[in-house]
Amino acid sequence: MSTNCDANANFNQGCGTQFNKGASYGSAFNQRGGGYFVMARTGTEGVRVWFWQRGDPKVPYEVQQSAMEYVVAGPATISPNPTWGTPDAEFPVGDWCDYNSHFDAHMMVFDLTFCVCML
């Protein structure tokens, strides 16, 4: 993982992060029935990501409720609060990084690729 986020360095590798909580991807994630990812992006606090495993008693109520309502009503807007704890990934902004030109126009996409194996 690179600690230099500059797109002109390290062949546009960017910055990475590694969650301290297990089962955030792969077969362990699938075996637990998935989980909850929440991303907040603001010009003052940068990009922050939280993750909770499925069944974690610390999943905030509004996150669980929003996930259930999404199926019926579409995307909801929720805002992080101190009860959520420290983000699992954090990319701060400041004088060295102009949020509007680097992040604001981006649309985040999660790709859930499914494979059907034929025996």
Side-chain angles (χ1 to χ4, degrees):
M1 270 193 292
S2 175
T3 57
N4 184 345
C5 300
D6 186 343
N8 297 310
N10 298 322
F11 305 101
N12 198 20
Q13 177 181 348
C15 288
T17 188
Q18 185 171 0
F19 290 175
N20 291 325
K21 300 172 189 166
S24 63
Y25 70 97
S27 59
F29 180 78
N30 294 339
Q31 289 170 355
R32 293 188 65 98
Y36 303 91
F37 287 92
V38 176
M39 177 183 288
R41 300 181 311 146
T42 67
T44 56
E45 297 184 70
V47 179
R48 298 171 293 152
V49 179
W50 289 262
F51 170 71
W52 296 273
Q53 297 173 349
R54 173 87 58 192
D56 182 341
K58 295 179 183 175
V59 178
Y61 172 79
E62 62 271 26
V63 171
Q64 291 181 47
Q65 191 64 32
S66 177
M68 292 175 59
E69 290 176 2
Y70 179 84
V71 175
V72 176
T77 300
I78 57 176
S79 297
N81 67 62
T83 65
W84 289 22
T86 303
D88 294 285
E90 191 167 13
F91 301 94
V93 294
D95 293 339
W96 66 93
C97 179
D98 178 43
Y99 176 85
N100 291 331
S101 65
H102 287 83
F103 295 103
D104 200 40
H106 290 173
M107 178 180 289
M108 304 303 171
V109 177
F110 282 89
D111 175 20
L112 301 176
T113 304
F114 296 96
C115 174
V116 177
C117 297
M118 305 297 265
L119 296 178

